[in-house]
Amino acid sequence: MIEVAAIFVGVGFLFNFCGRSNKTNAEFLDEATMVDELKGLGEFLETKPLNNTVVVFGTVGSSSTVETMCKSALGVFIEETATVTYDRRNCVGLTREHESTLVNRKEVSWYLEDGTARVNVTNYQHAKGFDDILRTYSSTVPVSKHFKRLLSVEEITICDPDSCESWENVLEIGTPLTIVGGAGRDKDGNLTIRHVYQVFNKRIELKKLISNMESNSVKYGNFSIYFAAMGMVLLALSLLQDDD
């Protein structure tokens, strides 16, 4: 019963973390300013040069693009990875394993546009939600090109010696985005989202999003209290049984 009690307490802590995360995110977004049109960003920076966290919407654009390996899309950010499957011989027989590697990363400058203005975007790769808005394409590439080390290990046999899985994660031109970030101007005076904190792959209603996060925070908090209390009850019952 102690193990079950520990699980309940652990789930309670997990819900508590989710609740706190939603509350913190809601408070952060509540301090951001929604800029309805990108042309209004310059005026906003003139009136509030210090508190410059904004929420803006537009589509991805660029004066130059990069092509995917599959030639099926144009993008401004492409991260290519490769995965190989192999069998490793050991004392108990064969075990199936996988290994992945970053093959290439291509980036070109890009901006957000909405028909009223353009805003350059930088420092976005690690923003919350960025990976979720990338399109994924797959193809095959020679194993020997990226996994020479594995081919030289005697106890390893590549399952398919001619090819491996290769994936490209692409930020495509024309992708509609809502971006939460710190706004400013670059060295040439151009409007820029200098650091992206969070990305959504559609237009969002900021007030509704904040309200949902606050509601989820309360809900997770209640779940946390319930599971933690149940865990403590089960732990107490277990201790009483041990005393008997």
Side-chain angles (χ1 to χ4, degrees):
M1 188 177 294
I2 292 180
E3 291 81 3
V4 177
I7 292 174
F8 270 82
V9 173
V11 172
F13 276 116
L14 180 61
F15 276 122
N16 181 265
F17 174 80
C18 292
R20 289 179 178 273
S21 178
N22 272 265
K23 182 179 180 180
T24 300
N25 207 12
E27 290 174 347
F28 173 74
L29 290 175
D30 194 39
E31 294 179 356
T33 300
M34 185 78 187
V35 178
D36 294 326
E37 294 183 331
L38 293 178
K39 68 177 182 180
L41 188 56
E43 181 179 348
F44 167 79
L45 289 175
E46 291 177 2
T47 57
K48 296 184 178 181
L50 297 179
N51 183 18
N52 57 8
T53 301
V54 297
V55 181
V56 295
F57 173 79
T59 57
V60 174
S62 177
S63 57
S64 60
T65 58
V66 288
E67 290 188 351
T68 72
M69 186 167 56
C70 301
K71 306 294 183 183
S72 57
L74 294 175
V76 296
F77 175 93
I78 296 179
E79 184 176 78
E80 181 185 353
T81 59
T83 301
V84 65
T85 302
Y86 58 90
D87 291 327
R88 183 188 296 273
R89 291 185 297 277
N90 52 40
C91 59
V92 295
L94 293 178
T95 57
R96 181 63 54 87
E97 299 181 14
H98 307 271
E99 183 166 320
S100 299
T101 185
L102 175 64
V103 177
N104 197 9
R105 175 179 286 170
K106 309 171 189 176
E107 298 178 45
V108 299
S109 300
W110 59 281
Y111 50 77
L112 209 62
E113 60 181 347
D114 66 350
T116 68
R118 294 178 177 178
V119 176
N120 296 329
V121 181
T122 60
N123 298 318
Y124 53 86
Q125 297 91 334
H126 303 294
K128 182 178 180 180
F130 177 71
D131 290 341
D132 298 334
I133 56 109
L134 300 178
R135 290 285 301 277
T136 301
Y137 297 90
S138 63
S139 65
T140 57
V141 295
V143 168
S144 58
K145 183 178 180 180
H146 307 298
F147 297 97
K148 292 181 180 180
R149 181 186 62 80
L150 289 178
L151 292 173
S152 63
V153 179
E154 293 184 358
E155 66 268 18
I156 285 179
T157 302
I158 303 296
C159 295
D160 185 347
D162 297 322
S163 65
C164 64
E165 291 181 312
S166 180
W167 304 90
E168 287 183 321
N169 294 320
V170 183
L171 176 57
E172 293 183 331
I173 295 292
T175 302
L177 300 179
T178 297
I179 289 179
V180 183
R185 295 183 182 274
D186 62 19
K187 61 181 181 179
D188 298 321
N190 299 313
L191 292 172
T192 305
I193 303 298
R194 297 177 297 187
H195 187 87
V196 181
Y197 305 123
Q198 194 163 1
V199 183
F200 301 91
N201 62 349
K202 59 182 179 180
R203 181 188 286 273
I204 63 168
E205 296 181 27
L206 185 59
K207 292 183 178 179
K208 183 177 180 180
L209 179 64
I210 293 172
S211 177
N212 288 341
M213 287 181 175
E214 291 174 340
S215 176
N216 287 337
S217 176
V218 174
K219 180 168 52 177
Y220 287 136
N222 291 335
F223 284 146
S224 173
I225 294 172
Y226 170 78
F227 278 95
M230 287 296 297
M232 296 305 294
V233 169
L234 291 173
L235 179 60
L237 290 175
S238 177
L239 293 176
L240 287 174
Q241 288 178 352
D242 291 341
D243 290 340
D244 294 340

